[in-house]
Amino acid sequence: MNSTIKKIQLVPLCIALSGWGMTAVAQSDEERAEAVSPPGDLLVQEPAGEIEEVVVLGRFISSSQSLVNERMTDAFATDLLGSDTISRLGDSTVASALRRVPGLTLVQDKFVYIRGLGERYTSTTLNGAFIPSPDLTRNVIPLNVFPTSIVESLKVQKSYSPALSANFGGGAVDIRTKGVPDDFNVRIEVGAGSNSENPARMKTYSGGSDDKFGTDDGSRALSQGIVDSIAVYQGNPSVNNILAFMQRQDASATLFDAQTANLGLATLLNRDIGIKEESVGPDWNLRGSIGNNFLVGSDWEVGFNAGASYDTDWRYRRTRTAAYGAPEEQSGVREESTRSVNISGTLNLGVNFLDDHSISTTTLFLRSTDDETEVYDFFNENRVKSSGFGFRDYRLEFEERNMATNQINGRHVLGDATRGRFGLVDSLLAWVPVETEINWFYSTSDARTDIPNRVTVAAETTTDALSGAVLAENVRLTSSAADYRFTDLDDAVENYGWSGVVPLEFGNSYVELAGGWDHAQKTRTYKQSQFSLGYLSVSDPSVLEGGLDDVFSDANLLATVPGTDTYVNDAVFDRQGANTNSYLAATMTDSAWGSVDWTFDDTWRIAAGARWEDYRQAALSWNPYGFTEDSPQVSTDPVVLENGTFQEDKLYPAASLTYMGALWADTFQLRLGYSQTAVRPDLREITASSYIDPVTDNLVRGNPGITPADVDNFDIRAEWYFSSGDNLTVTLFQKDITNPIEFFEIPASDTTIAREVVNAESAQVRGVEVEGLKELGFLGGIFDTMFIQGNFTLQDSELIAGPNASVPTNPVRTLTGASEYTANLMLGFDSRDAKHTASLIYNVFGERLFVAGRNGAPDGYEQPFHSLDLTYFWYPTEKITIKAKAQNLLGDTVDIERAGVVIFAEDPGTSISLAFSWAL
């Protein structure tokens, strides 16, 4: 944008947007000498009399200034959170930080919904490049895997611009990591915390020696002996198939021989799964970083920044479930203990030449591991509470998620320094406008999720018919009492491209011509192996009682009747699953875009452009245990192959009109935007594969006939910024969606809820967002150093199910996850001596649809959750910071209701933490 356009207005704007972490106050002449003022590149050299003087006092102002400039000059509506703002809010993950942005809500503590649209409608990039997802069941990225310690800023763009991918629904989130510092710095932080729900001792099991590093040492992994035997037996390790195989080799082979081979495979499973309790300590974390910048001669500058973090904590969850039709008789209690380990490492390198040319690299490694132990006691229609009999399910699951990213990008400006240094003033390049800029990037990322063992064991209980308390239990007498699942996901992304900007200035007009090209490709391999272990009969019922490691011990599995070729207990091992869980998938997108950005008379700004995308997608169900023509690993049926592919070649336009003036404020902007975009299905969803959603426990089936949804986006945004530091922003928005992608319930068994992804007929979301900041100095006294900031979103959504949905109860309803309102409010305090800051932060969302009913069954709604957090910082010296944080002070609970009945309830507890950091 023209360097002279309204830069004088960035002074009050900087104050306004810095409100999350500072206070604007009037000062005397003596105090002004100590004030912090915006950097020179944000100011125009105007006569002093023309500048309305505003002085800013606060610890967080400097980091916000560049974000202010970016928000002010962006042609399309953007929201930003800087690293100091995030630190002040006390959020430890990107997911929790983003719930502070207007119109954003957090679902399941890891997915962000923008303007009421589900996680599939939110795209995420890292430093502008696509990255893979370590989530087993979704293409979208669970944002709780990103620690805020690596973040420089978060950019949320809710209005589409041609430079973004056309796969844009609710909005786009760009996670921008910390880069090379301006000078030498080193920082070390250590912290500890706890949660009020955590008991002194928690349930767990024997794991591996490397669990503290968030990785399995092989104790849980699928044995190579099982893998080799599965190949030998052509994917079928059942006793009957083994016997047939043996008899083809040796006609004298007996049933006992086959049983022995079968049980030999069973003993290769990790059966050290006895539940035990152990004492747990507090949460703790350790973070560190070091960086520096060096001048090499007068033209060159090089630098680096390296950081690492380690976090570990225990969490106890107790959730209560109930059937809406019979909540007293059909209910359950789930107790889950989780040990989490999160590790991150970053390395940034950078080189600058003449301030016109820069090349930087980013290397990022993330590990997020959860080790879960769960006991679920419940009653259903087969065993109601008053019968005195119930069920108990055990689950042991170790899930390790890793992501490694390597990026390199460059920026080259044909500025005055470059022209003078290389004598280009009189060359053939003299005609190229000053400040012409070329940017390029290359990024490669790989996300891997490994579940080396997920064990579930089904048991039966004898209970008190009134209270439901468990009196006795035994493992169920069935061949599949214990279920072992081994899962591997590999998601790889390669993304590269370039863009350019040519600035033109003539008269009172300033024009930027921009364009670019990029290529993105993604491959995903998902493999699930499932085996069962159980008893068809036992010599004594006591075999099925006691610890799980005892029930499936060698003594019980391999004991024989003395003097015979007969096993005492009839135990069996087998492979389970319908061969439809694994799949192979890939996407490839080539894009080109161009735009024109014209500013006239420092008052009107028109930005328009379009993006062309050639999108290709392929996905196929994969049976890794297919060894015959009747059961191939991948289908060769031409119809199946054709249904598994999709190609779309389309143009996506976008336009924005901005008025800049001083209506009712020192700085006023009014933006109008329109664009057309698309929302594409997840890779897994266009296959016929089915899976159990780990969040809902529902059976989910893909749909090869699913197609992308088309979205028309409308925005009107007005912004007022006052010299006092106050600000107000009001946004009206509407999204019209054709063929929206939604889940609908389909027929299933009495004890299973199944859903299928389909294209509904249409959907619409519309609403208003209001955000503002008000410093409280007008109240006098202590309020001189306080401010209040908040945002509120009110919206309405409507989905028309259409003919593809299977008899929904409400063919016209709200979108899943859409909330009628969200609100954020923060009261901030900064002491006059700059040694103390505190923030009281409130967040709430309105009732939102959790599950849509079918065939007369009612819809289920998650109830409003009121969150109140407190953060406090003490700066005893310039090098030392002490931070205290408390979350969910109100102690609110998570409740889901169906027909007025609470079908799910959880108390997340109150978390507290204390951290000490030293920085140089």
Side-chain angles (χ1 to χ4, degrees):
M1 187 175 176
N2 188 346
S3 60
T4 65
I5 295 176
K6 300 297 179 185
K7 284 194 173 179
I8 191 64
Q9 300 174 8
L10 289 181
V11 181
L13 176 62
C14 186
I15 300 167
L17 291 188
S18 303
W20 280 104
M22 49 69 62
T23 302
V25 297
Q27 293 184 316
S28 65
D29 292 339
E30 292 78 13
E31 291 172 313
R32 289 189 183 109
E34 301 178 1
V36 179
S37 57
D41 62 349
L42 293 183
L43 299 176
V44 180
Q45 297 300 319
E46 299 281 357
E50 297 185 17
I51 299 179
E52 181 173 357
E53 188 170 28
V54 176
V55 181
V56 177
L57 190 62
R59 303 191 63 95
F60 299 93
I61 181 64
S62 59
S63 67
S64 66
Q65 290 164 347
S66 61
L67 301 182
V68 170
N69 192 28
E70 180 177 356
R71 176 170 175 171
M72 184 70 173
T73 59
D74 202 320
F76 298 87
T78 299
D79 291 306
L80 299 116
L81 286 178
S83 57
D84 283 335
T85 297
I86 295 170
S87 177
R88 177 160 194 157
L89 293 169
D91 295 314
S92 59
T93 70
V94 167
S96 57
L98 284 172
R99 67 192 169 111
R100 315 295 185 180
V101 177
L104 272 65
T105 56
L106 183 62
V107 177
Q108 298 157 12
D109 291 328
K110 58 182 177 179
F111 298 116
V112 170
Y113 282 31
I114 299 180
R115 291 177 171 173
L117 294 170
E119 70 268 11
R120 73 166 67 253
Y121 292 89
T122 302
S123 60
T124 303
T125 53
L126 183 71
N127 298 320
F130 297 116
I131 49 177
S133 170
D135 191 271
L136 292 172
T137 59
R138 294 165 175 84
N139 273 0
V140 295
I141 299 162
L143 296 174
N144 61 333
V145 304
F146 294 95
T148 52
S149 59
I150 70 169
V151 173
E152 180 63 31
S153 64
L154 299 173
K155 179 180 180 180
V156 180
Q157 189 165 327
K158 303 172 192 172
S159 297
Y160 175 71
S161 62
L164 298 176
S165 167
N167 189 30
F168 180 100
V173 176
D174 187 28
I175 303 169
R176 301 188 289 194
T177 58
K178 295 178 178 178
V180 174
D182 294 329
D183 49 28
F184 176 74
N185 71 73
V186 60
R187 181 181 179 87
I188 297 175
E189 178 180 312
V190 61
S194 185
N195 182 274
S196 62
E197 290 297 295
N198 282 7
R201 298 177 63 82
M202 292 195 197
K203 291 182 173 63
T204 184
Y205 63 101
S206 298
S209 59
D210 293 336
D211 287 2
K212 57 183 173 293
F213 301 116
T215 189
D216 182 54
D217 63 359
S219 302
R220 304 174 177 86
L222 180 60
S223 166
Q224 187 60 43
I226 293 179
V227 174
D228 294 340
S229 296
I230 292 296
V232 169
Y233 301 132
Q234 299 288 282
N236 184 358
S238 66
V239 172
N240 289 336
N241 188 64
I242 292 176
L243 178 60
F245 174 84
M246 286 181 167
Q247 289 181 341
R248 286 194 296 269
Q249 311 296 320
D250 181 358
S252 64
T254 65
L255 178 63
F256 182 78
D257 296 329
Q259 288 177 315
T260 301
N262 178 269
L263 292 176
L265 296 178
T267 60
L268 297 179
L269 293 171
N270 174 31
R271 290 160 295 124
D272 190 7
I273 56 176
I275 304 296
K276 60 182 181 180
E277 289 190 352
E278 68 177 47
S279 299
V280 298
D283 312 338
W284 71 274
N285 63 76
L286 179 65
R287 296 183 175 91
S289 65
I290 185 171
N292 204 354
N293 210 334
F294 307 92
L295 294 177
V296 182
S298 59
D299 296 337
W300 294 87
E301 184 179 1
V302 297
F304 76 94
N305 192 59
S309 69
Y310 177 90
D311 297 76
T312 183
D313 62 63
W314 284 87
R315 282 296 177 268
Y316 171 80
R317 294 180 62 202
R318 185 177 188 273
T319 59
R320 301 172 297 281
T321 61
Y324 70 88
E328 296 299 326
E329 290 284 18
Q330 300 176 33
S331 61
V333 175
R334 177 180 280 110
E335 292 185 318
E336 178 186 292
S337 301
T338 302
R339 182 190 184 186
S340 299
V341 175
N342 295 281
I343 299 173
S344 71
T346 60
L347 176 63
N348 301 93
L349 304 175
V351 57
N352 294 329
F353 177 63
L354 294 176
D355 292 331
D356 283 347
H357 306 274
S358 64
I359 296 177
S360 62
T361 66
T362 299
T363 297
L364 171 67
F365 172 79
L366 299 175
R367 170 174 293 164
S368 177
T369 300
D370 293 324
D371 190 8
E372 301 173 348
T373 304
E374 178 185 285
V375 180
Y376 181 34
D377 292 317
F378 63 99
F379 305 94
N380 60 24
E381 63 270 24
N382 297 315
R383 286 189 165 194
V384 296
K385 181 179 177 181
S386 60
S387 69
F389 298 98
F391 297 99
R392 170 172 285 182
D393 285 350
Y394 293 93
R395 180 176 63 87
L396 314 176
E397 184 167 353
F398 186 92
E399 181 173 347
E400 176 187 346
R401 300 172 291 272
N402 294 309
M403 189 176 80
T405 299
N406 289 286
Q407 299 178 333
I408 182 171
N409 61 77
R411 174 180 175 269
H412 308 280
V413 179
L414 195 59
D416 291 331
T418 299
R419 291 168 181 268
R421 181 69 169 77
F422 294 100
L424 302 179
V425 177
D426 299 321
S427 71
L428 294 177
L429 294 178
W431 64 272
V432 179
V434 178
E435 302 302 319
T436 294
E437 183 175 328
I438 295 292
N439 297 278
W440 56 270
F441 73 97
Y442 177 84
S443 175
T444 179
S445 301
D446 185 77
R448 296 183 62 89
T449 297
D450 181 25
I451 302 181
N453 202 0
R454 179 185 189 271
V455 184
T456 59
V457 179
E460 298 171 332
T461 57
T462 301
T463 64
D464 183 285
L466 294 178
S467 67
V470 175
L471 305 176
E473 68 165 309
N474 61 268
V475 172
R476 297 184 66 183
L477 186 64
T478 173
S479 62
S480 57
D483 181 272
Y484 284 75
R485 297 186 188 183
F486 305 86
T487 303
D488 292 290
L489 167 71
D490 190 358
D491 209 16
V493 173
E494 184 180 30
N495 188 200
Y496 51 86
W498 63 268
S499 63
V501 179
V502 178
L504 302 172
E505 188 169 0
F506 44 91
N508 57 357
S509 292
Y510 179 80
V511 178
E512 282 187 352
L513 304 177
W517 172 89
D518 61 78
H519 171 86
Q521 61 185 47
K522 176 177 183 175
T523 58
R524 171 175 275 214
T525 304
Y526 180 90
K527 180 181 179 182
Q528 179 175 298
S529 303
Q530 184 177 354
F531 303 93
S532 62
L533 176 62
Y535 294 94
L536 296 176
S537 64
V538 293
S539 60
D540 190 285
S542 63
V543 171
L544 301 176
E545 300 170 357
L548 300 181
D549 48 348
D550 293 329
V551 172
F552 298 107
S553 64
D554 286 354
N556 283 333
L557 292 177
L558 304 179
T560 58
V561 178
T564 69
D565 287 341
T566 303
Y567 285 99
V568 172
N569 304 303
D570 190 2
V572 289
F573 166 85
D574 207 348
R575 188 174 67 84
Q576 297 294 320
N579 303 328
T580 59
N581 296 315
S582 305
Y583 65 95
L584 308 170
T587 65
M588 183 177 292
T589 308
D590 286 297
S591 308
W593 63 274
S595 66
V596 177
D597 189 347
W598 175 32
T599 301
F600 175 73
D601 197 28
D602 288 353
T603 303
W604 294 97
R605 183 178 185 184
I606 300 174
R611 183 182 185 91
W612 168 83
E613 286 195 352
D614 182 12
Y615 175 78
R616 288 143 286 173
Q617 178 173 279
L620 290 172
S621 296
W622 170 38
N623 176 14
Y625 299 107
F627 295 93
T628 65
E629 291 185 1
D630 294 334
S631 179
Q633 292 200 3
V634 177
S635 174
T636 57
D637 186 333
V639 176
V640 174
L641 295 176
E642 182 178 357
N643 289 338
T645 61
F646 178 82
Q647 189 275 335
E648 185 175 62
D649 181 348
K650 198 170 181 180
L651 193 68
Y652 301 91
S656 173
L657 173 65
T658 303
Y659 168 76
M660 298 173 288
L663 177 66
W664 304 336
D666 300 271
T667 301
F668 171 73
Q669 287 196 147
L670 179 65
R671 308 171 190 261
L672 290 80
Y674 170 75
S675 61
Q676 293 180 351
T677 57
V679 176
R680 295 162 182 145
D682 287 352
L683 291 176
R684 186 166 199 161
E685 292 173 346
I686 66 167
T687 73
S689 63
S690 60
Y691 61 93
I692 299 296
D693 190 314
V695 175
T696 63
D697 288 327
N698 294 343
L699 176 67
V700 180
R701 294 175 182 169
N703 181 358
I706 201 77
T707 60
D710 295 318
V711 185
D712 288 285
N713 308 278
F714 305 86
D715 290 272
I716 302 176
R717 181 168 181 159
E719 300 168 319
W720 292 268
Y721 301 100
F722 303 89
S723 59
S724 63
D726 300 344
N727 73 80
L728 177 66
T729 300
V730 179
T731 305
L732 302 176
F733 63 88
Q734 179 171 311
K735 293 180 180 291
D736 296 328
I737 309 173
T738 305
N739 298 323
I741 302 170
E742 281 278 307
F743 286 106
F744 286 90
E745 194 171 329
I746 57 177
S749 66
D750 292 340
T751 57
T752 301
I753 297 176
R755 298 188 301 160
E756 182 181 33
V757 61
V758 302
N759 285 115
E761 183 175 309
S762 64
Q764 184 181 80
V765 181
R766 57 186 176 183
V768 57
E769 297 171 349
V770 180
E771 58 180 309
L773 175 143
K774 177 64 178 175
E775 56 88 16
L776 302 179
F778 68 96
L779 296 176
I782 192 174
F783 292 100
D784 281 346
T785 57
M786 300 178 69
F787 64 91
I788 188 169
Q789 194 275 351
N791 57 70
F792 179 78
T793 301
L794 183 65
Q795 65 184 23
D796 177 57
S797 70
E798 180 181 87
L799 175 85
I800 300 177
N804 294 329
S806 176
V807 291
T809 298
N810 296 307
V812 179
R813 59 168 174 82
T814 61
L815 285 163
T816 304
S819 175
E820 290 185 353
Y821 63 87
T822 60
N824 290 282
L825 186 67
M826 181 175 78
L827 177 65
F829 165 78
D830 293 90
S831 67
R832 289 186 177 277
D833 61 4
K835 289 187 177 296
H836 306 272
T837 67
S839 301
L840 189 64
I841 308 139
Y842 173 75
N843 170 267
V844 65
F845 60 82
E847 185 179 75
R848 58 192 184 193
L849 182 67
F850 181 80
V851 59
R854 173 185 179 273
N855 206 22
D859 296 337
Y861 290 89
E862 185 176 358
Q863 299 305 297
F865 184 88
H866 300 266
S867 170
L868 184 65
D869 303 337
L870 175 67
T871 62
Y872 167 74
F873 291 78
W874 176 35
Y875 308 92
T877 72
E878 288 298 318
K879 297 180 180 179
I880 295 175
T881 302
I882 296 175
K883 177 176 67 174
K885 178 175 64 174
Q887 294 180 299
N888 194 28
L889 290 171
L890 299 177
D892 207 358
T893 60
V894 178
D895 294 316
I896 299 173
E897 292 185 4
R898 206 166 182 176
V901 175
V902 177
I903 63 169
F904 177 93
E906 177 189 356
D907 184 355
T910 299
S911 295
I912 58 172
S913 64
L914 183 67
F916 170 91
S917 65
W918 176 86
L920 181 64

